[in-house]
Amino acid sequence: MKQPACELCDAEGGRLVLSDEWLRVVLVDDPEFPGFARVIWNEHVREMSDLGPGEQQRLMLTVFAVERAQRAVLAPAKVNLASLGNVTPHLHWHVIPRFTDDSHFPQPVWGQRQRTPSSGALDSRRALLGGLRRRIAEEVARLRQP
């Protein structure tokens, strides 16, 4: 059910990669973290335990599919998974590829800045986003195959 004044009910939450009746995957337009994705449950729910077991499985398998795509295309040092929802109480997972030269590594992306990343490294990662979008779609499509 759509809730008033919820940014994830009112908007896609990023650049849409794919969407179905249950959830959507978007790329966050964050210039310092190319490839940062969100997996957003379409129905307005606050907590994972508000979903039934099959819904939980669908959501988490999609999160893992996005992570696999990021690892295959971007080759990050680490992938951070986070479901916070303190500001936006709408169930969503952040899937964030991390690199040792990113602006906050090893801190969380919401932590203290550690350095200014190389514009060349960021440009190289941004150049891979088209391939990442395709790979995410492929990985999620595999979940739907019998």
Side-chain angles (χ1 to χ4, degrees), residues 51-64:
L51 299 176
E55 295 168 323
Q56 292 169 351
Q57 183 178 27
R58 178 178 298 277
L59 177 57
M60 292 314 300
L61 289 175
T62 303
V63 169
F64 303 148

Side-chain angles (χ1 to χ4, degrees), residues 21-73:
E21 62 269 33
W22 299 282
L23 53 81
R24 63 191 180 270
V25 176
V26 300
L27 290 180
V28 176
D29 188 21
D30 188 318
E32 291 204 350
F33 298 99
F36 183 153
R38 283 192 194 109
V39 179
I40 304 165
W41 193 254
N42 288 332
E43 187 177 327
H44 196 276
V45 294
R46 295 176 67 93
E47 306 297 346
M48 287 292 294
S49 57
D50 291 334
L51 299 176
E55 295 168 323
Q56 292 169 351
Q57 183 178 27
R58 178 178 298 277
L59 177 57
M60 292 314 300
L61 289 175
T62 303
V63 169
F64 303 148
V66 172
E67 178 185 294
R68 278 193 305 278
Q70 289 173 337
R71 292 180 70 199
V73 174

Side-chain angles (χ1 to χ4, degrees), residues 48-143:
M48 287 292 294
S49 57
D50 291 334
L51 299 176
E55 295 168 323
Q56 292 169 351
Q57 183 178 27
R58 178 178 298 277
L59 177 57
M60 292 314 300
L61 289 175
T62 303
V63 169
F64 303 148
V66 172
E67 178 185 294
R68 278 193 305 278
Q70 289 173 337
R71 292 180 70 199
V73 174
L74 301 174
K78 181 76 176 101
V79 176
N80 291 171
L81 302 176
S83 179
L84 306 171
N86 297 329
V87 175
T88 304
H90 185 127
L91 189 55
H92 63 286
W93 281 84
H94 301 273
V95 188
I96 311 164
R98 300 300 307 279
F99 301 88
T100 57
D101 63 349
D102 77 35
S103 59
H104 287 67
F105 194 89
Q107 298 297 315
V109 297
W110 300 285
Q112 186 173 348
R113 184 181 190 84
Q114 303 295 304
R115 69 193 59 77
T116 299
S118 149
S119 60
L122 290 172
D123 289 343
S124 295
R125 291 177 192 134
R126 285 186 202 108
L128 299 172
L129 293 182
L132 177 61
R133 292 171 63 89
R134 286 187 297 279
R135 185 64 179 259
I136 289 170
E138 291 168 4
E139 291 287 340
V140 172
R142 286 188 189 115
L143 300 175

